[in-house]
Amino acid sequence: MKFEKDSLLTSGLVLPSVLLLLWWTGSMAGWWNAFLLPSPEKVFDSFVMSIQDGDLQKHVWASLERIIKGFGLSAVMALSLALVCSWFPALLVQLEPTLEFLRHIPPMSVIPMLILWFGIGEAPKIILIILATFFPVFMNVLQGIRDCDPKLIEVAKVFGYKKWDQFKYVILPSAVPSILTGLRLGLGYSWRSLVAAELVAASSGLGYMILDAEQLSRSDVVLMGIFVIGALGAFLDYGFLWAIKRYLKRGIEA
Amino acid sequence: MSWLKIEGLKKNYELEDMDVDALRGIDLDIEEGGFIVIVGRSGSGKTTLLRILAGLEKETAGRIIFKGRICGEEHPLPVGMVFQEARLLPWLSVENNILFPFHHEGRAKDMHSKAVSLLKMIGLEEYGNAMPHQLSGGMAQRVALGRALSCDPDIVLLDEPLGALDYFTRRALQRELAKIYLAGGKTFLMVTHDVGEALRLGTRVIVLNRGKIEASIPIELGYPRDRHSDKFQSLLDEVLEALDDAE
C-alpha cells in the first residue's frame, strides 16, 4: 500500500482519533457512568479552567523543575560514571556487582527510607527520579562505548592518535547514538517516576494534582492530569528523537 | 644506506595453545618511490607484514629501519593506510573523513583547500559534504585513499584495498591508483591476492610464502600496461611460477 507523505494515515493520528470518537460517542450515549469516565468535553473544560486559574501552569512547572533537576543530575552522574568506568575497566569490575544489585531495586520501594533520611522536602523526590533514570542512561552509555568498532580505532592508531584522542574522536562519537537512546529512555523513566515522587508529601506538581483530584473525586481532573503528563512526555521524547535523527543525518562537523 | 630496510622480521601468535609463525624472518630493502606489491596465498603473512609496518601489531623479533633510524612506538613509520574495507567514520562528512588525520591536532578546519584538492584527485569534488552511507563501495574506498594521502605520508600502505569491489570498479580504481602513484613522490606498499593487479601496478612484486619471501621480481614496464604484451605475460608467468613453487 502506498501512503501519501504527511497524510492522516501516516501521521499516527488514526488510533487516537478513533478512541476519541468512541469516548465521545459513549459519553453522549451514556454507555457508562460519567463519574467513572467523564466526557471529553468535561475533561477539556477542566483543562481550560485549570489554565485560566493558573493552576495547571504551576503544577506543570513544579513537575518540570523536578524532572530537570532529577533527570539532569542523573544524566550527568550516569554519563560521568560510565565514561570513567570505560576508561578504567578495573573500576567497573569492582562496581559491577553493586550496580547490578541496585539496578534491580524498584525505586518506589525505597521511598520510606528516603523520607526517613531526607525528610519530606524536594530531596527525596529528586533522588527518586535519579534512581529511576540512572541505570538506563548508564547502561546505554557503557554499551555504546563497548560497541565501538575496533576497526575504526585502528584507523585512528594508524594516523597517530594517542589513547585519549582515540577516545575523544572515535569511541565517544561512535557511542553518541547509544548515549542519546539512553538519555531518551531515562527521560521517559523520569516521567514515569514523577507521580511516585510527588506522592511524597508534595504540595505541587502534576502527580500531586492527580492525587488531590482523586481525593476530591474529580475524575475529570485526574484524566486531564494524565493527558498532560502523557502529552508533555511525548513532546519531550519527540524532541529527543528529532535531535538524534538530526545528529545522525548531519554527523559531527569537526 | 637503504631508504626502508626490514631486517629479520618475525611475528609469532599464540592461538589456543598453538604457536603460529606468521612471519619467519623477512629481510627486505624497499627503494624510495617504488610501488611494491606483495602477493601470496592466504595465511602467507602479507597482511601481518603491513600491520606491523603500520604500527598496529608488534613484531616478535627483527627491526624496521627508515632513513637510518630504527622505527618503533617512539618513531613510527610515516604511513597512511587503506584497509580492505573503507573504514570511514560514519558520523563525519566525506571532507572531514579525508581530513581525519588532522582532527586530533585541531588543524582540520584550516585545511579545506587541501581537502578540495584531494577530493579532486580522487574524482569526488562534488561529494565533500556527502555522508559515508551515501557512497558506493568504490567511492568510499577512494575517500579512504584520499584520507591516507592527506597526511602526506612517505609510505602508503594498501591492504587489499580493491578486494571487495566489483570487476569494473576495481579496474577503474587500479587506473586511478597508477595515476596517483605516477603523480608523485610516494612509496606504495600494497597487498593483493590478484596477480594481474600486482603486475598492472607494481614496480616490484614480492611473493610471500609461509612468512618468508619466496621471490622478489622487478617489473620494468611503463604505465599504462598492456596486459597482452609478451613482457607482461612472461612476468605474469614468472610470478605465478613463484606462487606455485610456494605451494
Side-chain angles (χ1 to χ4, degrees):
Chain A
M1 199 195 298
K2 219 176 168 183
F3 288 119
E4 289 274 325
K5 206 183 170 206
D6 294 332
S7 73
L8 187 68
L9 284 175
T10 54
S11 64
L13 289 175
V14 172
L15 184 62
S17 305
V18 169
L19 290 175
L20 188 66
L21 190 69
L22 265 173
W23 181 17
W24 182 76
T25 312
S27 302
M28 294 292 283
W31 289 349
W32 52 73
N33 183 334
F35 175 73
L36 295 178
L37 183 56
S39 69
E41 289 109 308
K42 189 142 191 241
V43 175
F44 185 70
D45 286 347
S46 316
F47 176 69
V48 173
M49 261 168 60
S50 190
I51 287 181
Q52 282 168 350
D53 295 348
D55 267 4
L56 187 61
Q57 294 90 314
K58 186 185 84 183
H59 291 307
V60 164
W61 176 241
S63 291
L64 272 176
E65 207 178 337
R66 285 177 190 129
I67 295 278
I68 291 167
K69 282 180 188 165
F71 174 66
L73 276 170
S74 171
V76 169
M77 282 159 51
L79 265 167
S80 315
L81 190 65
L83 294 180
V84 171
C85 283
S86 59
W87 191 257
F88 300 106
L91 179 67
L92 183 63
V93 172
Q94 289 303 317
L95 287 178
E96 212 159 21
T98 313
L99 290 172
E100 199 58 23
F101 168 77
L102 291 172
R103 192 164 75 89
H104 287 95
I105 297 174
M108 271 187 268
S109 67
V110 296
I111 288 177
M113 298 315 291
L114 290 178
I115 294 174
L116 208 61
W117 294 335
F118 300 102
I120 54 169
E122 283 298 292
K125 300 174 186 68
I126 306 289
I127 292 170
L128 202 71
I129 295 175
I130 291 174
L131 289 174
T133 57
F134 177 84
F135 285 104
V137 181
F138 178 76
M139 301 304 275
N140 271 278
V141 177
L142 213 56
Q143 200 55 44
I145 288 170
R146 280 173 175 168
D147 285 348
C148 178
D149 186 351
K151 288 179 176 175
L152 295 183
I153 300 173
E154 281 192 351
V155 172
K157 279 183 191 166
V158 166
F159 292 113
Y161 280 59
K162 302 280 178 240
K163 215 170 171 226
W164 169 247
D165 288 329
Q166 290 166 23
F167 187 76
K168 187 175 162 193
Y169 291 97
V170 179
I171 299 171
L172 208 51
S174 87
V176 165
S178 274
I179 294 172
L180 290 177
T181 304
L183 289 173
R184 190 182 162 211
L185 278 173
L187 192 62
Y189 277 68
S190 70
W191 277 103
R192 286 180 189 199
S193 61
L194 184 70
V195 177
E198 289 174 350
L199 270 171
V200 188
S203 58
S204 63
L206 290 166
Y208 163 77
M209 186 182 85
I210 289 171
L211 292 167
D212 189 48
E214 184 212 344
Q215 278 158 14
L216 298 170
S217 303
R218 289 286 306 271
S219 48
D220 53 328
V221 179
V222 172
L223 272 178
M224 186 264 284
I226 291 170
F227 281 123
V228 170
I229 289 180
L232 275 173
F235 177 76
L236 286 175
D237 189 58
Y238 276 122
F240 242 100
L241 206 60
W242 174 81
I244 293 175
K245 280 184 180 162
R246 190 161 176 265
Y247 170 80
L248 293 178
K249 206 171 162 186
R250 186 178 61 91
I252 294 173
E253 297 302 324
Chain B
M1 184 176 71
S2 299
W3 188 69
L4 173 61
K5 195 174 176 66
I6 299 169
E7 280 182 355
L9 204 68
K10 288 182 182 173
K11 178 68 186 176
N12 180 270
Y13 292 106
E14 263 182 45
L15 274 180
E16 291 172 6
D17 301 333
M18 226 174 63
D19 270 354
V20 179
D21 292 321
L23 296 178
R24 297 185 299 153
I26 299 281
D27 293 299
L28 189 61
D29 279 331
I30 292 171
E31 59 280 9
E32 185 176 8
F35 197 132
I36 316 298
V37 185
I38 304 162
V39 295
R41 293 166 186 277
S42 297
S44 58
K46 312 182 292 288
T47 296
T48 306
L49 175 59
L50 231 56
R51 287 175 65 82
I52 291 174
L53 292 173
L56 294 175
E57 279 179 44
K58 183 104 184 74
E59 64 275 11
T60 312
R63 55 188 192 163
I64 298 159
I65 304 160
F66 180 65
K67 291 182 179 171
R69 181 190 248 180
I70 297 171
C71 296
E73 265 178 47
E74 288 296 304
H75 302 289
L77 263 184
V79 298
M81 187 167 184
V82 183
F83 298 87
Q84 189 167 5
E85 329 81 32
R87 300 195 186 184
L88 302 181
L89 297 137
W91 56 88
L92 293 180
S93 66
V94 164
E95 179 174 330
N96 275 316
N97 261 292
I98 284 182
L99 296 178
F100 179 68
F102 305 103
H103 284 192
H104 65 309
E105 297 166 354
R107 291 199 289 144
K109 276 183 185 153
D110 310 323
M111 305 201 84
H112 175 68
S113 57
K114 186 176 186 103
V116 170
S117 72
L118 280 163
L119 282 165
K120 204 169 169 189
M121 182 194 266
I122 56 173
L124 293 174
E125 54 265 63
E126 284 161 24
Y127 290 85
N129 292 322
M131 298 305 287
H133 71 269
Q134 296 170 309
L135 306 177
S136 67
M139 288 158 96
Q141 210 53 310
R142 285 184 206 188
V143 177
L145 182 62
R147 178 176 64 189
L149 295 169
S150 69
C151 54
D152 208 17
D154 289 311
I155 304 158
V156 181
L157 303 175
L158 306 158
D159 185 9
E160 296 187 52
L162 314 180
L165 303 176
D166 66 84
Y167 174 78
F168 296 103
T169 315
R170 199 180 170 108
R171 289 304 304 272
L173 275 176
Q174 283 169 2
R175 282 191 288 271
E176 274 182 48
L177 261 177
K179 220 161 73 184
I180 290 167
Y181 165 65
L182 289 171
K186 308 256 173 282
T187 302
F188 281 64
L189 238 93
M190 176 165 150
V191 157
T192 181
H193 272 113
D194 183 342
V195 179
E197 185 171 277
L199 266 286
R200 268 190 288 272
L201 291 169
T203 55
R204 186 148 59 113
V205 174
I206 308 281
V207 179
L208 220 60
N209 175 36
R210 292 180 187 165
K212 281 196 88 86
I213 292 175
E214 183 78 22
S216 173
I217 302 161
I219 311 294
E220 283 153 358
L221 293 171
Y223 296 92
R225 290 170 178 174
D226 176 10
R227 65 192 164 122
H228 301 295
S229 71
D230 292 342
K231 180 77 177 158
F232 190 97
Q233 285 302 320
S234 78
L235 284 165
L236 186 65
D237 289 343
E238 198 179 334
V239 175
L240 287 172
E241 220 167 276
L243 276 166
D244 282 341
D245 290 346
E247 231 178 318

